[in-house]
Amino acid sequence: MRIGELAERAGTTTRTLRYYESRGLLPARRAVNGYRTYDESDLRLLRQIRTLQDFGFDLEETRPFVECLRAGHPAGDSCPASLAVYRRKLGELDGLIGELQSVRAQVGAQLAQAEAARAGLAAEAEVPGGPEPRCELTPHKSTPHKN
Amino acid sequence: MRIGELAERAGTTTRTLRYYESRGLLPARRAVNGYRTYDESDLRLLRQIRTLQDFGFDLEETRPFVECLRAGHPAGDSCPASLAVYRRKLGELDGLIGELQSVRAQVGAQLAQAEAARAGLAAEAEVPGGPEPRCELTPHKSTPHKN
DNA sequence: GTAATCCTTGACGCCGAGGTCAAGGCAAGG
DNA sequence: CCTTGCCTTGACCTCGGCGTCAAGGATTAC
Protein backbone atom coordinates (compact mmCIF):
# COMPACT_ATOMS: atom_id res chain seq x y z
CA MET A 1 0.00 0.00 0.00
CA ARG A 2 1.30 3.44 -0.88
CA ILE A 3 0.93 6.66 1.04
CA GLY A 4 -2.20 7.91 -0.70
CA GLU A 5 -4.14 4.75 -0.03
CA LEU A 6 -3.07 4.59 3.61
CA ALA A 7 -4.05 8.19 4.10
CA GLU A 8 -7.44 7.62 2.57
CA ARG A 9 -8.09 4.46 4.56
CA ALA A 10 -7.23 6.27 7.77
CA GLY A 11 -9.21 9.33 6.85
CA THR A 12 -6.24 11.64 6.81
CA THR A 13 -3.81 13.19 4.34
CA THR A 14 -0.47 12.26 2.87
CA ARG A 15 0.97 15.40 4.37
CA THR A 16 0.03 14.15 7.81
CA LEU A 17 1.68 10.78 7.22
CA ARG A 18 4.90 12.40 6.05
CA TYR A 19 4.76 14.61 9.08
CA TYR A 20 4.40 11.62 11.40
CA GLU A 21 7.33 9.99 9.66
CA SER A 22 9.42 13.13 10.10
CA ARG A 23 8.65 12.93 13.81
CA GLY A 24 9.77 9.30 13.85
CA LEU A 25 6.33 8.02 14.69
CA LEU A 26 5.43 6.18 11.53
CA PRO A 27 8.51 5.20 9.54
CA ALA A 28 7.91 3.68 6.11
CA ARG A 29 9.66 1.06 4.05
CA ARG A 30 10.57 2.14 0.56
CA ALA A 31 9.88 0.54 -2.78
CA VAL A 32 12.65 0.43 -5.40
CA ASN A 33 11.35 3.61 -6.98
CA GLY A 34 11.54 5.43 -3.67
CA TYR A 35 7.82 5.34 -2.93
CA ARG A 36 6.80 4.79 0.68
CA THR A 37 5.26 1.38 1.30
CA TYR A 38 2.90 0.47 4.13
CA ASP A 39 1.03 -2.61 5.31
CA GLU A 40 -1.92 -3.37 7.52
CA SER A 41 0.05 -3.06 10.73
CA ASP A 42 0.94 0.50 9.77
CA LEU A 43 -2.74 1.17 9.38
CA ARG A 44 -3.27 -0.05 12.93
CA LEU A 45 -0.51 2.20 14.22
CA LEU A 46 -1.99 5.10 12.35
CA ARG A 47 -5.47 4.48 13.68
CA GLN A 48 -4.08 4.37 17.20
CA ILE A 49 -2.41 7.71 16.68
CA ARG A 50 -5.54 9.27 15.21
CA THR A 51 -7.76 8.01 18.01
CA LEU A 52 -5.50 9.52 20.63
CA GLN A 53 -5.20 12.75 18.68
CA ASP A 54 -8.98 12.95 18.64
CA PHE A 55 -8.86 12.66 22.41
CA GLY A 56 -6.60 15.68 22.47
CA PHE A 57 -3.32 13.85 23.05
CA ASP A 58 -0.46 15.55 21.36
CA LEU A 59 1.83 13.59 19.08
CA GLU A 60 4.54 12.92 21.61
CA GLU A 61 1.99 11.42 23.95
CA THR A 62 0.99 8.87 21.35
CA ARG A 63 4.52 7.57 21.02
CA PRO A 64 4.36 5.02 23.86
CA PHE A 65 1.21 3.54 22.36
CA VAL A 66 2.78 3.24 18.94
CA GLU A 67 5.94 1.68 20.30
CA CYS A 68 3.84 -0.70 22.34
CA LEU A 69 2.03 -1.87 19.24
CA ARG A 70 5.25 -2.17 17.28
CA ALA A 71 6.70 -4.28 20.09
CA GLY A 72 4.03 -6.81 19.23
CA HIS A 73 1.59 -6.18 22.01
CA PRO A 74 -2.07 -6.73 21.23
CA ALA A 75 -3.09 -3.16 21.97
CA GLY A 76 -1.35 0.19 22.16
CA ASP A 77 -2.27 0.50 25.81
CA SER A 78 -0.91 -2.90 26.82
CA CYS A 79 2.27 -1.32 28.12
CA PRO A 80 2.96 0.49 31.39
CA ALA A 81 4.21 3.58 29.61
CA SER A 82 0.88 3.93 27.85
CA LEU A 83 -1.02 3.53 31.10
CA ALA A 84 1.14 6.23 32.61
CA VAL A 85 0.13 8.54 29.78
CA TYR A 86 -3.53 7.72 30.38
CA ARG A 87 -3.19 8.57 34.04
CA ARG A 88 -1.34 11.77 33.39
CA LYS A 89 -3.95 12.75 30.86
CA LEU A 90 -6.77 12.05 33.29
CA GLY A 91 -5.13 14.36 35.76
CA GLU A 92 -4.72 17.06 33.15
CA LEU A 93 -8.31 16.67 32.05
CA ASP A 94 -9.61 16.89 35.59
CA GLY A 95 -7.58 20.00 36.21
CA LEU A 96 -8.68 21.59 32.99
CA ILE A 97 -12.33 20.72 33.50
CA GLY A 98 -12.18 22.16 36.98
CA GLU A 99 -10.66 25.39 35.72
CA LEU A 100 -13.22 25.70 32.99
CA GLN A 101 -16.05 25.11 35.41
CA SER A 102 -14.66 27.79 37.65
CA VAL A 103 -14.40 30.21 34.75
CA ARG A 104 -17.89 29.28 33.64
CA ALA A 105 -19.22 30.08 37.07
CA GLN A 106 -17.45 33.42 37.19
CA VAL A 107 -18.56 34.44 33.72
CA GLY A 108 -22.09 33.35 34.53
CA ALA A 109 -22.05 35.46 37.67
CA GLN A 110 -20.73 38.46 35.74
CA LEU A 111 -23.47 38.07 33.18
CA ALA A 112 -26.16 37.81 35.82
CA GLN A 113 -24.87 40.85 37.62
CA ALA A 114 -24.60 42.91 34.46
CA GLU A 115 -28.09 41.91 33.38
CA ALA A 116 -29.46 42.85 36.77
CA ALA A 117 -27.76 46.23 36.57
CA ARG A 118 -29.23 46.89 33.16
CA ALA A 119 -32.68 45.87 34.33
CA GLY A 120 -32.33 48.27 37.21
CA LEU A 121 -31.37 51.12 34.92
CA ALA A 122 -34.19 50.33 32.52
CA ALA A 123 -36.75 50.41 35.31
CA GLU A 124 -35.40 53.72 36.52
CA ALA A 125 -35.56 55.18 33.01
CA GLU A 126 -39.14 54.03 32.56
CA VAL A 127 -40.52 56.00 35.47
CA PRO A 128 -38.26 59.07 35.66
CA GLY A 129 -39.07 59.84 39.27
CA GLY A 130 -37.70 56.49 40.37
CA PRO A 131 -40.45 53.85 40.73
CA GLU A 132 -40.03 51.66 43.74
CA PRO A 133 -36.49 51.54 45.11
CA ARG A 134 -35.71 48.01 44.09
CA CYS A 135 -32.70 47.34 46.24
CA GLU A 136 -29.97 49.13 48.15
CA LEU A 137 -28.59 50.81 45.04
CA THR A 138 -28.49 54.57 45.65
CA PRO A 139 -31.34 55.73 43.40
CA HIS A 140 -30.55 59.44 43.38
CA LYS A 141 -28.23 59.53 40.34
CA SER A 142 -30.50 59.36 37.32
CA THR A 143 -28.10 57.82 34.79
CA PRO A 144 -24.41 57.52 35.42
CA HIS A 145 -23.59 58.24 31.76
CA LYS A 146 -21.07 60.98 31.25
CA ASN A 147 -22.40 62.48 27.99
CA MET B 1 2.21 57.86 33.18
CA ARG B 2 4.53 56.21 30.67
CA ILE B 3 4.41 52.70 29.29
CA GLY B 4 6.73 51.10 31.81
CA GLU B 5 4.75 52.31 34.77
CA LEU B 6 1.43 51.29 33.28
CA ALA B 7 2.78 47.86 32.50
CA GLU B 8 4.06 47.43 36.00
CA ARG B 9 0.86 48.64 37.62
CA ALA B 10 -1.15 46.21 35.53
CA GLY B 11 1.25 43.36 36.08
CA THR B 12 2.17 42.97 32.45
CA THR B 13 4.91 44.03 30.05
CA THR B 14 5.53 46.94 27.74
CA ARG B 15 5.59 44.56 24.81
CA THR B 16 2.06 43.52 25.62
CA LEU B 17 0.87 47.12 25.75
CA ARG B 18 2.43 47.91 22.39
CA TYR B 19 0.83 44.78 21.02
CA TYR B 20 -2.59 45.86 22.26
CA GLU B 21 -2.03 49.25 20.70
CA SER B 22 -1.09 47.63 17.40
CA ARG B 23 -4.39 45.78 17.55
CA GLY B 24 -6.20 49.04 18.12
CA LEU B 25 -7.31 48.06 21.60
CA LEU B 26 -5.34 50.45 23.73
CA PRO B 27 -4.27 53.54 21.77
CA ALA B 28 -1.94 55.94 23.55
CA ARG B 29 -1.50 59.67 23.51
CA ARG B 30 2.03 60.84 22.83
CA ALA B 31 4.25 63.25 24.72
CA VAL B 32 6.30 65.79 22.74
CA ASN B 33 9.28 63.49 22.75
CA GLY B 34 7.22 60.66 21.23
CA TYR B 35 6.79 58.70 24.45
CA ARG B 36 3.43 57.03 24.97
CA THR B 37 1.36 58.65 27.72
CA TYR B 38 -1.40 56.99 29.71
CA ASP B 39 -3.77 57.93 32.50
CA GLU B 40 -5.88 56.15 35.08
CA SER B 41 -8.68 55.38 32.65
CA ASP B 42 -6.20 53.49 30.48
CA LEU B 43 -5.30 51.45 33.50
CA ARG B 44 -8.96 50.56 33.91
CA LEU B 45 -9.22 49.53 30.27
CA LEU B 46 -6.10 47.46 30.62
CA ARG B 47 -7.33 45.74 33.75
CA GLN B 48 -10.57 44.89 31.97
CA ILE B 49 -8.63 43.33 29.12
CA ARG B 50 -6.41 41.35 31.45
CA THR B 51 -9.32 40.03 33.47
CA LEU B 52 -11.06 38.75 30.39
CA GLN B 53 -7.84 37.30 29.02
CA ASP B 54 -7.45 35.40 32.28
CA PHE B 55 -10.91 33.99 31.65
CA GLY B 56 -9.69 32.71 28.32
CA PHE B 57 -11.27 35.38 26.15
CA ASP B 58 -9.16 36.18 23.15
CA LEU B 59 -8.24 39.75 22.38
CA GLU B 60 -10.98 40.40 19.85
CA GLU B 61 -13.57 39.30 22.37
CA THR B 62 -12.41 41.93 24.81
CA ARG B 63 -12.98 44.74 22.31
CA PRO B 64 -16.67 45.33 23.10
CA PHE B 65 -15.85 45.66 26.77
CA VAL B 66 -13.08 48.15 26.10
CA GLU B 67 -15.24 50.20 23.77
CA CYS B 68 -18.01 50.16 26.31
CA LEU B 69 -15.72 51.57 28.95
CA ARG B 70 -14.35 54.18 26.57
CA ALA B 71 -17.91 55.23 25.75
CA GLY B 72 -18.17 56.30 29.37
CA HIS B 73 -20.17 53.43 30.77
CA PRO B 74 -19.52 52.50 34.37
CA ALA B 75 -18.41 48.95 33.58
CA GLY B 76 -17.10 47.12 30.55
CA ASP B 77 -20.08 44.83 30.60
CA SER B 78 -22.69 47.61 30.72
CA CYS B 79 -23.28 47.30 26.99
CA PRO B 80 -25.35 44.78 25.04
CA ALA B 81 -22.39 43.78 22.87
CA SER B 82 -20.46 42.75 25.95
CA LEU B 83 -23.37 40.73 27.27
CA ALA B 84 -23.58 38.99 23.91
CA VAL B 85 -19.93 38.02 24.26
CA TYR B 86 -20.60 36.69 27.75
CA ARG B 87 -23.44 34.56 26.47
CA ARG B 88 -21.48 33.26 23.52
CA LYS B 89 -18.62 32.43 25.83
CA LEU B 90 -20.90 30.57 28.21
CA GLY B 91 -22.09 28.46 25.33
CA GLU B 92 -18.55 27.76 24.20
CA LEU B 93 -17.53 26.87 27.73
CA ASP B 94 -20.45 24.51 28.18
CA GLY B 95 -19.66 22.82 24.89
CA LEU B 96 -16.01 22.51 25.72
CA ILE B 97 -16.63 21.24 29.23
CA GLY B 98 -19.01 18.66 27.84
CA GLU B 99 -16.50 17.46 25.29
CA LEU B 100 -13.77 17.25 27.87
CA GLN B 101 -15.99 15.29 30.22
CA SER B 102 -16.79 12.91 27.41
CA VAL B 103 -13.13 12.47 26.62
CA ARG B 104 -12.37 12.04 30.29
CA ALA B 105 -14.92 9.26 30.52
CA GLN B 106 -13.57 7.52 27.44
CA VAL B 107 -9.96 7.75 28.56
CA GLY B 108 -10.96 6.55 32.01
CA ALA B 109 -12.73 3.58 30.49
CA GLN B 110 -9.73 2.77 28.33
CA LEU B 111 -7.47 2.89 31.34
CA ALA B 112 -9.74 0.66 33.40
CA GLN B 113 -9.99 -1.83 30.60
CA ALA B 114 -6.26 -1.89 29.97
CA GLU B 115 -5.55 -2.29 33.67
CA ALA B 116 -8.02 -5.15 33.88
CA ALA B 117 -6.40 -6.83 30.91
CA ARG B 118 -2.98 -6.53 32.50
CA ALA B 119 -4.29 -7.89 35.79
CA GLY B 120 -5.77 -10.82 33.92
CA LEU B 121 -2.49 -11.57 32.20
CA ALA B 122 -0.58 -11.26 35.45
CA ALA B 123 -2.90 -13.66 37.22
CA GLU B 124 -2.57 -16.10 34.37
CA ALA B 125 1.19 -15.88 34.47
CA GLU B 126 1.20 -16.43 38.24
CA VAL B 127 -0.63 -19.72 38.10
CA PRO B 128 0.27 -21.13 34.70
CA GLY B 129 -2.65 -23.50 34.57
CA GLY B 130 -5.15 -20.66 34.74
CA PRO B 131 -6.46 -20.04 38.27
CA GLU B 132 -10.18 -19.40 38.36
CA PRO B 133 -11.61 -18.23 35.04
CA ARG B 134 -12.26 -14.65 36.01
CA CYS B 135 -14.67 -13.66 33.28
CA GLU B 136 -15.75 -14.59 29.79
CA LEU B 137 -12.31 -14.02 28.32
CA THR B 138 -11.32 -17.19 26.44
CA PRO B 139 -8.66 -18.59 28.78
CA HIS B 140 -7.19 -21.17 26.40
CA LYS B 141 -4.60 -18.96 24.71
CA SER B 142 -1.73 -18.69 27.19
CA THR B 143 -0.30 -15.33 26.16
CA PRO B 144 -1.26 -13.56 22.96
CA HIS B 145 2.27 -12.21 22.56
CA LYS B 146 3.85 -12.94 19.26
CA ASN B 147 7.44 -13.63 20.42
C1' DG C 1 4.04 10.30 -27.43
C1' DT C 2 1.79 12.49 -24.00
C1' DA C 3 -1.59 13.42 -20.64
C1' DA C 4 -3.19 12.26 -16.15
C1' DT C 5 -2.16 10.55 -11.64
C1' DC C 6 0.47 9.17 -8.53
C1' DC C 7 4.79 9.95 -5.91
C1' DT C 8 9.32 12.57 -4.11
C1' DT C 9 11.75 16.47 -1.30
C1' DG C 10 11.92 21.19 0.21
C1' DA C 11 10.31 25.26 1.89
C1' DC C 12 7.16 28.74 3.36
C1' DG C 13 2.45 29.98 5.66
C1' DC C 14 -0.80 29.95 9.47
C1' DC C 15 -2.69 30.96 14.16
C1' DG C 16 -2.38 33.99 19.01
C1' DA C 17 -0.14 36.47 22.18
C1' DG C 18 3.29 38.11 22.85
C1' DG C 19 9.19 37.17 23.71
C1' DT C 20 13.48 38.65 22.37
C1' DC C 21 16.97 41.00 20.18
C1' DA C 22 18.91 45.21 17.58
C1' DA C 23 19.92 49.94 16.79
C1' DG C 24 19.17 54.19 18.17
C1' DG C 25 16.75 58.63 20.70
C1' DC C 26 15.97 61.36 25.15
C1' DA C 27 16.63 62.80 29.99
C1' DA C 28 19.06 63.11 34.31
C1' DG C 29 22.84 62.42 37.73
C1' DG C 30 27.70 62.54 38.75
C1' DC D 1 31.20 64.40 28.97
C1' DC D 2 29.67 59.93 29.99
C1' DT D 3 26.87 56.50 31.83
C1' DT D 4 22.43 54.73 33.07
C1' DG D 5 17.81 53.84 32.32
C1' DC D 6 13.92 54.78 30.21
C1' DC D 7 11.79 55.10 25.62
C1' DT D 8 11.19 54.39 20.18
C1' DT D 9 10.38 51.29 15.86
C1' DG D 10 11.24 47.11 13.33
C1' DA D 11 11.82 42.54 12.59
C1' DC D 12 12.32 37.80 13.49
C1' DC D 13 11.22 33.64 16.90
C1' DT D 14 8.09 30.49 19.47
C1' DC D 15 4.77 26.31 19.41
C1' DG D 16 1.83 22.14 17.00
C1' DG D 17 0.06 20.14 13.37
C1' DC D 18 -0.27 20.26 9.59
C1' DG D 19 -1.90 23.19 4.57
C1' DT D 20 -0.19 24.68 0.42
C1' DC D 21 2.61 25.43 -3.27
C1' DA D 22 6.82 24.34 -6.33
C1' DA D 23 9.61 21.58 -9.23
C1' DG D 24 10.45 17.38 -10.79
C1' DG D 25 10.43 11.76 -11.18
C1' DA D 26 7.50 7.34 -11.89
C1' DT D 27 3.63 4.74 -13.64
C1' DT D 28 -0.42 3.95 -16.00
C1' DA D 29 -4.01 4.98 -19.61
C1' DC D 30 -4.94 6.03 -24.14
Side-chain angles (χ1 to χ4, degrees):
Chain A
M1 173 172 27
R2 292 178 308 184
I3 195 171
E5 188 184 345
L6 179 60
E8 198 180 353
R9 289 182 63 184
T12 183
T13 68
T14 61
R15 178 67 180 90
T16 296
L17 300 192
R18 294 198 190 94
Y19 178 64
Y20 289 172
E21 181 173 0
S22 81
R23 307 275 86 196
L25 262 170
L26 195 64
R29 277 115 282 160
R30 296 300 180 120
V32 267
N33 58 9
Y35 287 12
R36 288 172 178 82
T37 306
Y38 303 91
D39 58 22
E40 297 298 320
S41 73
D42 292 314
L43 181 57
R44 275 192 294 276
L45 297 189
L46 182 49
R47 287 210 226 269
Q48 174 75 79
I49 297 172
R50 295 262 96 199
T51 299
L52 295 175
Q53 288 265 92
D54 289 346
F55 281 166
F57 289 49
D58 57 50
L59 269 189
E60 274 316 305
E61 290 175 323
T62 72
R63 197 180 293 276
F65 296 80
V66 173
E67 286 177 356
C68 187
L69 277 173
R70 254 206 302 270
H73 295 279
D77 54 15
S78 301
C79 302
S82 308
L83 298 184
V85 174
Y86 275 158
R87 293 197 192 94
R88 195 158 49 72
K89 208 67 191 178
L90 284 179
E92 283 177 24
L93 283 167
D94 288 341
L96 187 51
I97 290 169
E99 279 181 41
L100 288 177
Q101 283 172 337
S102 162
V103 167
R104 207 237 105 104
Q106 293 183 70
V107 172
Q110 284 294 119
L111 175 59
Q113 185 190 328
E115 277 176 335
R118 289 187 65 78
L121 289 180
E124 247 178 288
E126 245 178 274
V127 185
E132 296 140 340
R134 215 170 266 285
C135 46
E136 278 69 37
L137 290 172
T138 59
H140 52 281
K141 288 166 80 180
S142 59
T143 53
H145 277 220
K146 89 173 181 193
N147 294 345
Chain B
M1 173 171 26
R2 292 178 307 182
I3 196 171
E5 188 185 344
L6 178 60
E8 198 180 354
R9 288 182 62 185
T12 182
T13 68
T14 62
R15 178 67 178 91
T16 295
L17 300 191
R18 294 197 190 95
Y19 178 64
Y20 290 172
E21 182 173 2
S22 80
R23 306 276 84 198
L25 262 168
L26 195 63
R29 276 114 284 158
R30 296 299 180 120
V32 268
N33 57 8
Y35 287 13
R36 289 173 178 80
T37 307
Y38 303 91
D39 57 21
E40 296 298 321
S41 73
D42 292 314
L43 180 57
R44 276 192 295 275
L45 298 189
L46 182 50
R47 287 211 225 268
Q48 173 76 80
I49 297 173
R50 296 261 95 199
T51 299
L52 295 175
Q53 288 265 93
D54 288 347
F55 281 167
F57 288 49
D58 56 51
L59 269 190
E60 275 316 304
E61 290 175 324
T62 72
R63 197 179 294 276
F65 295 81
V66 174
E67 287 177 356
C68 188
L69 277 173
R70 256 205 301 269
H73 294 278
D77 53 16
S78 301
C79 302
S82 308
L83 299 183
V85 174
Y86 275 158
R87 293 196 192 93
R88 195 158 50 70
K89 209 67 191 175
L90 283 179
E92 282 176 25
L93 282 168
D94 288 341
L96 188 52
I97 290 169
E99 278 180 42
L100 288 178
Q101 283 172 337
S102 162
V103 167
R104 206 239 106 103
Q106 294 182 69
V107 173
Q110 284 294 120
L111 175 59
Q113 186 191 326
E115 278 176 335
R118 288 187 65 77
L121 288 181
E124 247 178 291
E126 247 178 274
V127 185
E132 295 142 341
R134 214 169 268 284
C135 46
E136 279 69 36
L137 289 172
T138 61
H140 53 281
K141 286 168 80 180
S142 61
T143 54
H145 276 222
K146 86 174 181 192
N147 295 346

